Amino acid sequence: NVNSVSRAYGDPNPTFTGTITGLKNGDVITANYSTTATQLSPVGTYPITATLVDPNGVLGNYTVTINNGTLTVTPAALVITANNAARLYGDPNPPFSGTIAGIKNGDNITAIYTSPATPASPVGTYPIIPAPTDNGTGALANYVVTLNNGSLTVSPAPLTVTADNATRAFGAPNPTFTGTIVGIKNGDNITATYSTPA
């Protein structure tokens, strides 16, 4: 009787075991256990078979029944975490990045990181969302994937308002004051009114 076992995808096979019952007269008969599954085998079930070892040639005295076991290959854990990022209001999103932990067998698994934030999004925090891809290899079917969002922090953009200098004669009315505004983003409708206590 071959014992059934399980392991995660990409891990080496465990040591297989089993039991032999019915030996008589102290006969020495043992068994070697094997399976067709390798570390590269996808998630699924595979038979574990036994091959009897009979150093003294006594198997002819037995009717042998071999009950195969089952090796269950379960999905491996894959964790994809988006890195946090920051930018100023009105700027384009920076390139997003992240980490992938748990890839087995050199599987071609990568991730795409996106955010709903656009340059027009107001100051605040927005998720950075990872999306895995196996680039058409089908390898993701061998994993249980955990996705951890990152955070994009949109900070206030600097805005500089500079009043132009002006002159007038004593007793004359103030001239029209002017100035410049530097740093407006997204075509925001921001203007300035210039005044003096004089």
Side-chain angles (χ1 to χ4, degrees):
N1 294 305
V2 183
N3 296 327
S4 295
V5 293
S6 64
R7 66 163 174 84
Y9 165 76
D11 288 353
N13 288 331
T15 301
F16 300 129
T17 61
T19 58
I20 300 176
T21 59
L23 290 175
K24 302 296 180 88
N25 301 321
D27 288 340
V28 179
I29 298 173
T30 59
N32 292 328
Y33 305 98
S34 62
T35 183
T36 57
T38 69
Q39 284 185 246
L40 299 174
S41 298
V43 167
T45 57
Y46 302 85
I48 306 170
T49 59
T51 302
L52 294 178
V53 179
D54 176 24
N56 299 318
V58 295
L59 268 179
N61 298 312
Y62 295 91
T63 299
V64 179
T65 300
I66 296 179
N67 297 314
N68 289 342
T70 299
L71 170 65
T72 302
V73 178
T74 59
L78 190 73
V79 180
I80 304 176
T81 303
N83 294 329
N84 295 332
R87 67 165 174 83
L88 297 177
Y89 166 75
D91 288 352
N93 289 333
F96 298 130
S97 61
T99 59
I100 303 176
I103 291 177
K104 301 291 184 76
N105 299 321
D107 287 337
N108 184 15
I109 295 175
T110 57
I112 299 169
Y113 304 92
T114 60
S115 176
T118 69
S121 298
V123 167
T125 57
Y126 301 85
I128 301 172
I129 304 166
T133 176
D134 58 20
N135 301 290
T137 64
L140 278 174
N142 296 310
Y143 295 89
V144 172
V145 181
T146 300
L147 302 176
N148 297 318
N149 288 350
S151 179
L152 171 65
T153 300
V154 178
S155 301
L159 190 72
T160 303
V161 183
T162 304
D164 297 330
N165 295 329
T167 60
R168 66 166 173 79
F170 172 73
N174 289 332
T176 300
F177 299 127
T178 60
T180 57
I181 303 177
V182 177
I184 291 177
K185 301 290 184 75
N186 298 319
D188 288 338
N189 185 18
I190 296 174
T191 59
T193 302
Y194 304 94
S195 61
T196 182

